[in-house]
Amino acid sequence: MDRIEILDSTLRDGAQGEGISFSVADKLEVVRTLDGLCVDIIEAGNPASNPKDLDFFAEIKGLKLVNSRLAAFGSTRRKGERASEDSGLKSLLSADTGTVVIFGKSWDFHAVKILGATLDENLLMIEESIAFMKASGRRVVYDAEHFFDGYKANPEYALRTVAAAAKGGAECLVLCDTNGGSLPDLVRELTKKVVAEFGIPVGIHAHNDSGLAVANSLAAVDGGALQVQGTLAGFGERCGNANLSTIVPNIRIKLGKECLSEESLAAITVSTRRVAEIANISFDEGMPYVGRRAFAHKGGMHIDAVMKDPVSFEHVEPPLVGNDRRFLASEVGGRSVILDKIRKIDPSLGKDSPSVALIVERLKEMERDGYQFEGADGSLELLMRKATGKYKPFFQLGHYRTIGEQPVADKAHCATALVKVEVEGVSEISAAEGDGPVNALDLALRKALERFYPNIASMRLVDFKVRVIDSGATASAVRVLIESADQSGAWTTVGVSTDIIEASWIALVDSIEYKLIKDIERRWKAYV
Amino acid sequence: MDRIEILDSTLRDGAQGEGISFSVADKLEVVRTLDGLCVDIIEAGNPASNPKDLDFFAEIKGLKLVNSRLAAFGSTRRKGERASEDSGLKSLLSADTGTVVIFGKSWDFHAVKILGATLDENLLMIEESIAFMKASGRRVVYDAEHFFDGYKANPEYALRTVAAAAKGGAECLVLCDTNGGSLPDLVRELTKKVVAEFGIPVGIHAHNDSGLAVANSLAAVDGGALQVQGTLAGFGERCGNANLSTIVPNIRIKLGKECLSEESLAAITVSTRRVAEIANISFDEGMPYVGRRAFAHKGGMHIDAVMKDPVSFEHVEPPLVGNDRRFLASEVGGRSVILDKIRKIDPSLGKDSPSVALIVERLKEMERDGYQFEGADGSLELLMRKATGKYKPFFQLGHYRTIGEQPVADKAHCATALVKVEVEGVSEISAAEGDGPVNALDLALRKALERFYPNIASMRLVDFKVRVIDSGATASAVRVLIESADQSGAWTTVGVSTDIIEASWIALVDSIEYKLIKDIERRWKAYV
C-alpha cells in the first residue's frame, strides 16, 4: 500500500502566522520535536527572505536528525537572471540541506502581473531553477503556488508550469491551494489529472481560508496524492495551513493508509502541544484529536452513554492519538495516565492506592488555579513525590524582597533582590543585582544555595516563558514556565500566581529541587 | 433555485461546549443577535433537560422576533410511555414555540444498549412523538441522531428510523453526524439516498471531531440537503458543532446558492463576534471569514502582491463578509504597508518623504530590539506621530520604584509602587499597592495622572500578554502587549525591555497617551 509522506512547514509557512516569531533556539527545539515525531520532511526556513534563517541553518548542522529530512525553501530564480547567478538560489544552496523546496507560479495572472514575467519566461524560471538545484546535488520538491486558482483561470498554462517542474527534475509536484478558497471536489479531480499525466509523486498544500484545508488534503490523497504539506498545530498566514495533527490521524484511522507510524500517532498530542508551547501560542483546546476538549463530555446523557460504551459518543479511542477522555460534569478522568507516571516514582502503587487519589485531586485543584502540567514534567514529578512522601525539601525560604527602579544609570542592574534561606538549621542571606526583578531573584537564590549544593553551578536556565491566564487587567494570574538544563538533560517547571515574581519563584524553586533530586538519583544508581 | 435554510443551535448544542454557560439575559441577547442576522430557525434550548431553559422560554414570549422562527429541542418519548403522558414532550410543549426539534436514535446499538429499548419500540417512539407534536399544532424538525454511524452498522434499520419520522409528520429529516467521525463522501451519498427516498426536505447536523464539519455540511448540501444546522461561532461539545460563520459564506459565495441574504453575509463578522462576546469566550482570530487574521497579510511578498491586486492572496473580498484587510507590520513586511498607515496620520506624506524613511529605519531598529507591531496598532501610531512631529508628550516621568516581597500576610498587596510624574511643570507623586509589581505600577501611574487628565478614568486594561523574546535564562528581553479599551474602542500597545517592569511601563505609558490623543481627536472632530 502507498505510504503518505508528511512535510511540516511550521518553521516556514507557520512562521508567517500573526504573532509567531521563532528564535534560533526555538527553531532547533521545534526541529527536535518534529524529528521525534518522525515527520518525513521538515521545511525549516527560507534563507533568502529571512537572514535569521541562515543563522539557523548554520546552527543546525551540529544537530543529527534521526528520523526526518531537513529542507530549505525558496523561490524560482528571478526573471532575466541565470539560475547559477541568482542570489536566492545561492542562499538556498548555502543552507546546505539535502532536500530543497522550490515554489513557482502556476497562475498566469501571478506570473505576468505580480512577477512581471512573460508566460514563457516563467516556465523557464521553473525548469531551470529545479535543474540547477538537481545539478547541485539536491532533491527537489516543487510547490506549484496557486495551482487550483491558476487552473481555473488558464488550465492549459497551469499544467504547463507543472510540466516544466517535471522536466527540471522535481521528485514531487505539490499542488498548492495558496489562497485557501478551493473546494474538495476540484482538488480531488485535479490531483487525479496531474497524477495520471506526469507519473511523478504528487503532493497537496492547503490553506484553511474556507475551513476546508483538512477536507482538501484528504480529497487530494483520495485523488492519489502521496505527500501532504501542512503545519503540526495549524499555524500559518491568515487562517493557517492545513492542520497536520488533524490530517495524520484522519489518514491513518479514517482512510486506513500508512502515514508516519502507530507510535507517532500516539505521540501526536504531546508533540503538537510542545510546538504550540515553543511558539508561545495559546493552544486551541477544541482542536480535533489533540485538544483537551477533543474527548471531553459535558452533557449528562452523553456522559452516561460514554460510561456504558465510549463508542456511543467518541469517533476514535483517545489513547490512539495520545489524548485522554474527560468527563466535565462528574469528577472522574485521566487517572490511568497519572498512574502510569506515578509508577515510575513508586512501582508499588496500584490504581486504588490513596496517594493516587490524592494526586488526582491535587492536580485538579491546581489546574483550576491555572496550572498546566503538559509542558512541565519537572513540576509534575515533584508534585507526585510530595503526595507519595518521596520528597524532602532541600531548603526553607526565610523571605525575599525585590526592588525595581527607573531611571537608573546602569540598565543591566535596574533591579536588586535579597534572599534569605535556611538549610538544616543554617541560614544564608544573599543579594544580587539583575536586569529585572526575576533575574535578580534567580541570581540571589543560586548564590545563597551554592554554599550548600555546589552542583547547582552546573545547571542553567534555558528558557523562560510567561503566559497570562485570565484576560483582564494587569492583576490576572500569570503562568511561568522555566526550562533548565545540565549536562545530563533538560526539564521544565511551572509556577502560577497573580504576582509574576512569585510565579517565577515557584518555578525556580522547582527547577532547583528537581536538579538536586536527579543528581542524588544518578549518584545512587552508581551504587546499585 | 433552492434556498438553504439555517438552524442555529448556539443556545442548545453550543451550550454543551466546555466553559460555556448562558444566563437567561445572555440567551435573550443571543436570540436578538441571531434574529438580526435573519437566521431561519433559532434552536434555543432543551426545556426538559435544563430547568433554566424553561424560564428562558417564559421570558422570551415578550420578545417579538422579526426574522427568525424560535424552536425548542427535546427527545422522543420514553420507552413504554404514551406520548401524551411523557414528561419530556410535555415540557417541550410548554416552551410554546411554533417549531420543535425532536431527536431520536438511528443507530441500533444506541436504541438497544443506551436506551434499553427494542428496535421496534424505538421506531414507535420516533413516529408517535412526532405525530403527537404535530397534533398539538407544532411544526416538527426531526434530528436523526448518529444517522451515519447507524447506517454503517445497520443500513436498513437506520433508514427505517427516518421512515418512522416521515410517517409521524416531520417537515424536515436532519441527518446527524453526532460523533463527528464521518467523511464527506459518505455524507453526500447518504444525503442523496434519503432525499430520493422520502420526498421531504433533508437537513445536515455535523460535528467537528475530524475537522470536517464544514466539508460534511457542504457535501450534504451538494447531495440535496436544504437545511444546515450548526452554531454561529462553532461552539459545541468536544470539538464543536459545524461553524455557521464559515458555512454560510461558503454556501453563498462558493456554491452560489441562496442562504440567508447578502445583508446577513455582510453582518456575519460582527454578529459572530457578538455571540462570542456574550458567551465570554475568547474569539479564535484565525477563524475563516470572520477572524481578525482571516485577511491579515504578513509575508513581504504577499503584501506587495495584495497591494497590486488583492485577488493574488485573498479568496474573497473581505467587505462581503463585513471583515477588513490588514497588513501586519513585521520584519517580513514591506514599506508600502507603513506608508498606508502613515497617510492616515498625515495624508500629505509621499513614498519618498524623509519622515517615511525615518519611520522605516526606526521600525527596523525596534524590531531588532524585539518589538513587534503587528498586534500593537496603538504603539505603531505613536511611533509614527513621534517621527512626523505630530506628537507632544503628556507627562514626564520623574522616577518610579517598585518593591515586591514574600512572604506577606496579604497576597493581594504583595507589591507596592511609587511614581513621580510632571505635567507642564507641576509634579505629582503617588503610591499604590497591587498583587504584583506591574499591577501596583499601573495603579500608581493612573492615580498620579488622573489629577491632570480625568478622562483616564474611563479607560481600562482588557488584556496583558508577556512573551520572552530570546530564549535563554531570566535575563532575556521580554515583550509586553497591553490591550486597553474605553467606550469608543480598543487599542493595543507594546513595550520591550530585559526588565519586565520597564517593558510594562513602556506599554502602559503608550496606552494612556494613545487614549489621550484619541480623545482630543474626537473632540476636535466635533469642531471641524
Side-chain angles (χ1 to χ4, degrees), chain A residues 15-21 23 25-26 49-50 52 103 105 107 109-110 113-114 145-146 178-181 183 185 188 208-212 214-215 218 222 237-239 246 250 254-255 278-280 284 286-289 293-299 301-302 305 308-309 311-315 326 328 397-407 411 414 435-439 442 461-468 471-475 497-502, chain B residues 15-20 103 105 107 109-110 113-114 145-146 178-181 183 185 188 208-212 214-215 218 222 237-239 246 250 254-255 284 286-289 292-299 301-302 305 308-309 311-315 326 328 331-332 372 374-375 397-407 411 414 435-439 442 461-475 479 497-502:
Chain A
Q16 302 279 70
E18 184 172 1
I20 296 184
S21 163
S23 68
D26 287 340
S49 88
N50 189 346
K52 263 205 308 199
F103 80 97
K105 300 288 190 188
W107 191 351
F109 151 77
H110 261 267
K113 277 284 182 69
I114 308 297
E145 200 190 34
H146 289 112
T178 309
N179 294 5
L183 300 179
D185 289 341
R188 171 163 29 201
N208 202 37
D209 298 75
S210 311
L212 293 167
V214 171
L218 297 186
D222 193 48
E237 197 155 18
R238 304 186 313 270
C239 305
T246 310
N250 277 337
K254 300 292 166 75
L255 305 188
I278 297 165
N280 202 19
D284 173 6
M287 224 186 263
Y289 296 105
R293 295 203 301 267
F295 302 95
H297 305 281
K298 177 170 166 187
M301 281 186 297
H302 287 199
K308 284 184 187 161
D309 190 338
V311 79
S312 58
F313 287 97
E314 284 177 1
H315 67 129
R326 289 162 63 229
L328 302 178
L397 170 66
H399 65 265
Y400 68 71
R401 173 180 294 188
T402 60
I403 300 170
E405 228 161 332
Q406 292 287 354
K411 297 250 311 182
C414 64
D435 61 5
V438 178
N439 180 230
D442 174 34
L461 285 184
V462 177
D463 201 1
F464 173 78
K465 282 187 173 149
V466 186
R467 164 122 3 114
V468 177
S471 290
T474 42
S497 168
T498 49
D499 174 12
I500 190 169
I501 298 178
E502 195 192 20
Chain B
Q16 301 278 70
E18 185 172 1
I20 295 185
F103 81 96
K105 300 289 191 186
W107 190 353
F109 151 78
H110 261 267
K113 279 285 183 68
I114 307 297
E145 200 189 34
H146 289 113
T178 309
N179 293 5
L183 300 180
D185 289 341
R188 169 160 33 198
N208 203 36
D209 298 74
S210 310
L212 293 167
V214 170
L218 298 186
D222 193 48
E237 198 154 19
R238 306 187 312 271
C239 306
T246 310
N250 276 338
K254 300 292 165 78
L255 304 188
D284 172 7
M287 223 186 264
Y289 296 107
R292 251 170 78 80
R293 295 203 301 266
F295 303 95
H297 305 281
K298 179 170 163 187
M301 279 185 300
H302 288 199
K308 283 184 188 162
D309 190 340
V311 80
S312 58
F313 287 97
E314 285 176 3
H315 67 130
R326 289 163 63 229
L328 306 177
E331 48 192 333
V332 277
Q372 260 188 17
E374 51 188 60
L397 170 66
H399 64 266
Y400 69 72
R401 173 180 296 188
T402 62
I403 299 172
E405 227 161 331
Q406 291 287 353
K411 296 252 311 184
C414 65
D435 63 3
V438 178
N439 180 228
D442 174 34
L461 284 184
V462 177
D463 201 0
F464 173 78
K465 283 189 180 142
V466 186
R467 166 91 164 107
V468 177
I469 304 165
D470 301 313
S471 293
T474 42
R479 178 166 58 235
S497 168
T498 49
D499 174 11
I500 188 168
I501 299 178
E502 194 192 19

Side-chain angles (χ1 to χ4, degrees), chain B residues 100-175:
Chain B
V100 296
V101 181
I102 297 237
F103 81 96
K105 300 289 191 186
S106 289
W107 190 353
D108 55 359
F109 151 78
H110 261 267
V112 174
K113 279 285 183 68
I114 307 297
L115 292 186
T118 65
L119 292 182
D120 284 338
E121 169 80 358
N122 181 51
L123 296 177
L124 283 178
M125 286 156 64
I126 296 169
E127 183 188 333
E128 290 174 13
S129 302
I130 296 173
F132 171 67
M133 294 313 284
K134 284 277 288 183
S136 309
R138 301 297 190 272
R139 299 170 65 169
V140 184
V141 170
Y142 178 67
D143 276 11
E145 200 189 34
H146 289 113
F147 178 78
F148 300 98
D149 292 319
Y151 189 92
K152 275 183 273 186
N154 185 341
E156 190 247 351
Y157 185 72
L159 289 172
R160 282 177 67 203
T161 64
V162 177
K167 201 167 155 211
E171 70 169 35
C172 185
L173 304 170
V174 182
L175 311 181

Side-chain angles (χ1 to χ4, degrees), chain A residues 147-148 151-152 155 159 175 183-197 202 216 218-224:
Chain A
F147 177 77
F148 299 99
Y151 188 91
K152 276 184 273 187
L159 289 173
L175 311 181
L183 300 179
D185 289 341
L186 179 77
V187 170
R188 171 163 29 201
E189 181 200 320
L190 295 188
T191 305
K192 273 188 186 157
K193 194 185 216 35
V194 175
V195 167
E197 204 146 314
V202 169
N216 283 337
L218 297 186
V221 168
D222 193 48

Side-chain angles (χ1 to χ4, degrees), chain B residues 66 129 191 357 397 422 429 437 465 490:
Chain B
V66 183
S129 302
T191 305
L397 170 66
E422 196 185 297
I429 186 159
K465 283 189 180 142

Side-chain angles (χ1 to χ4, degrees), chain A residues 135-372:
Chain A
S136 311
R138 301 297 189 272
R139 298 171 65 171
V140 184
V141 171
Y142 177 69
D143 276 11
E145 200 190 34
H146 289 112
F147 177 77
F148 299 99
D149 292 319
Y151 188 91
K152 276 184 273 187
N154 185 343
E156 189 247 353
Y157 184 72
L159 289 173
R160 282 178 67 202
T161 63
V162 177
K167 199 165 157 218
E171 71 169 36
C172 185
L173 305 169
V174 181
L175 311 181
C176 302
D177 185 31
T178 309
N179 294 5
S182 298
L183 300 179
D185 289 341
L186 179 77
V187 170
R188 171 163 29 201
E189 181 200 320
L190 295 188
T191 305
K192 273 188 186 157
K193 194 185 216 35
V194 175
V195 167
E197 204 146 314
F198 296 98
I200 294 175
V202 169
I204 178 73
H205 174 113
H207 282 258
N208 202 37
D209 298 75
S210 311
L212 293 167
V214 171
N216 283 337
S217 303
L218 297 186
V221 168
D222 193 48
L226 294 175
Q227 180 183 103
V228 176
Q229 300 192 351
T231 59
L232 190 58
F235 298 162
E237 197 155 18
R238 304 186 313 270
C239 305
N241 284 56
N243 188 320
L244 293 174
S245 70
T246 310
I247 290 172
V248 170
N250 277 337
I251 291 176
R252 282 194 68 90
I253 304 172
K254 300 292 166 75
L255 305 188
K257 287 182 188 273
E258 272 305 312
C259 179
L260 304 190
S261 69
E262 203 180 316
E263 294 71 37
S264 299
L265 198 65
I268 203 158
T269 296
V270 65
S271 304
T272 308
R273 303 194 76 94
R274 180 82 194 112
V275 166
E277 196 64 54
I278 297 165
N280 202 19
I281 287 294
S282 57
F283 201 75
D284 173 6
E285 298 295 358
M287 224 186 263
Y289 296 105
V290 301
R292 257 169 76 80
R293 295 203 301 267
F295 302 95
H297 305 281
K298 177 170 166 187
M301 281 186 297
H302 287 199
I303 289 174
D304 291 345
V306 169
M307 289 204 163
K308 284 184 187 161
D309 190 338
V311 79
S312 58
F313 287 97
E314 284 177 1
H315 67 129
V316 304
E317 293 168 42
L320 278 179
V321 291
N323 206 341
D324 293 314
R325 174 175 309 133
R326 289 162 63 229
F327 294 115
L328 302 178
S330 76
E331 295 275 292
V332 202
R335 186 181 279 228
S336 53
V337 190
I338 302 300
L339 187 62
D340 214 49
K341 290 180 195 273
I342 295 173
R343 284 229 178 97
K344 285 182 190 149
I345 298 169
D346 185 345
S348 75
L349 291 173
K351 170 157 116 303
D352 301 317
S353 309
S355 20
V356 175
L358 191 72
I359 289 170
V360 170
E361 212 31 67
R362 185 85 190 100
L363 272 176
K364 269 191 205 134
E365 244 172 71
M366 295 184 78
E367 281 173 355
R368 262 196 301 274
D369 292 343
Y371 275 84
Q372 260 189 19

Side-chain angles (χ1 to χ4, degrees), chain B residues 389-401:
Chain B
K390 299 201 173 282
Y391 169 83
K392 190 171 89 62
F394 287 87
F395 66 94
Q396 248 83 39
L397 170 66
H399 64 266
Y400 69 72
R401 173 180 296 188

Side-chain angles (χ1 to χ4, degrees), chain B residues 163-463:
Chain B
K167 201 167 155 211
E171 70 169 35
C172 185
L173 304 170
V174 182
L175 311 181
C176 302
D177 185 32
T178 309
N179 293 5
S182 298
L183 300 180
D185 289 341
L186 180 77
V187 170
R188 169 160 33 198
E189 182 199 321
L190 294 187
T191 305
K192 272 188 187 157
K193 195 185 213 39
V194 175
V195 167
E197 205 147 312
F198 295 97
I200 294 176
V202 169
I204 179 73
H205 174 112
H207 282 258
N208 203 36
D209 298 74
S210 310
L212 293 167
V214 170
N216 283 337
S217 303
L218 298 186
V221 168
D222 193 48
L226 295 175
Q227 181 183 99
V228 175
Q229 299 192 351
T231 58
L232 190 57
F235 297 161
E237 198 154 19
R238 306 187 312 271
C239 306
N241 283 56
N243 189 321
L244 292 175
S245 69
T246 310
I247 291 172
V248 170
N250 276 338
I251 290 177
R252 282 193 68 90
I253 304 172
K254 300 292 165 78
L255 304 188
K257 286 182 189 274
E258 271 307 310
C259 179
L260 305 189
S261 69
E262 202 180 317
E263 294 72 35
S264 300
L265 198 66
I268 204 157
T269 295
V270 66
S271 304
T272 308
R273 303 192 78 94
R274 178 87 195 109
V275 166
E277 193 166 310
I278 298 165
N280 201 19
I281 289 291
S282 62
F283 201 77
D284 172 7
E285 299 293 359
M287 223 186 264
Y289 296 107
V290 301
R292 251 170 78 80
R293 295 203 301 266
F295 303 95
H297 305 281
K298 179 170 163 187
M301 279 185 300
H302 288 199
I303 290 174
D304 290 343
V306 169
M307 290 206 159
K308 283 184 188 162
D309 190 340
V311 80
S312 58
F313 287 97
E314 285 176 3
H315 67 130
V316 304
E317 293 168 43
L320 276 180
V321 292
N323 206 342
D324 293 314
R325 174 174 310 132
R326 289 163 63 229
F327 293 116
L328 306 177
S330 84
E331 48 192 333
V332 277
R335 178 186 278 229
S336 43
V337 190
I338 302 302
L339 187 62
D340 213 49
K341 288 182 195 273
I342 294 174
R343 284 228 176 100
K344 285 183 189 145
I345 299 169
D346 186 346
S348 74
L349 291 174
K351 174 155 116 305
D352 301 317
S353 310
S355 19
V356 174
L358 191 72
I359 290 170
V360 170
E361 210 32 65
R362 184 88 188 97
L363 272 175
K364 269 194 205 136
E365 243 172 73
M366 294 183 79
E367 282 176 353
R368 259 197 303 274
D369 292 345
Y371 275 84
Q372 260 188 17
F373 292 95
E374 51 188 60
D377 44 356
S379 290
L380 183 60
E381 178 170 336
L382 284 167
L383 181 148
M384 289 174 171
R385 286 183 172 278
K386 285 171 189 168
T388 52
K390 299 201 173 282
Y391 169 83
K392 190 171 89 62
F394 287 87
F395 66 94
Q396 248 83 39
L397 170 66
H399 64 266
Y400 69 72
R401 173 180 296 188
T402 62
I403 299 172
E405 227 161 331
Q406 291 287 353
V408 284
D410 177 5
K411 296 252 311 184
H413 302 115
C414 65
T416 47
L418 180 156
V419 175
K420 188 175 176 191
V421 295
E422 196 185 297
V423 177
E424 289 169 11
V426 182
S427 283
E428 173 75 27
I429 186 159
S430 71
E433 290 178 318
D435 63 3
V438 178
N439 180 228
L441 192 63
D442 174 34
L443 296 174
L445 176 61
R446 286 152 179 276
K447 212 159 136 183
L449 289 177
E450 271 182 37
R451 174 181 160 194
F452 307 101
Y453 306 108
N455 46 335
I456 286 177
S458 72
M459 74 180 269
R460 62 204 155 81
L461 284 184
V462 177
D463 201 0

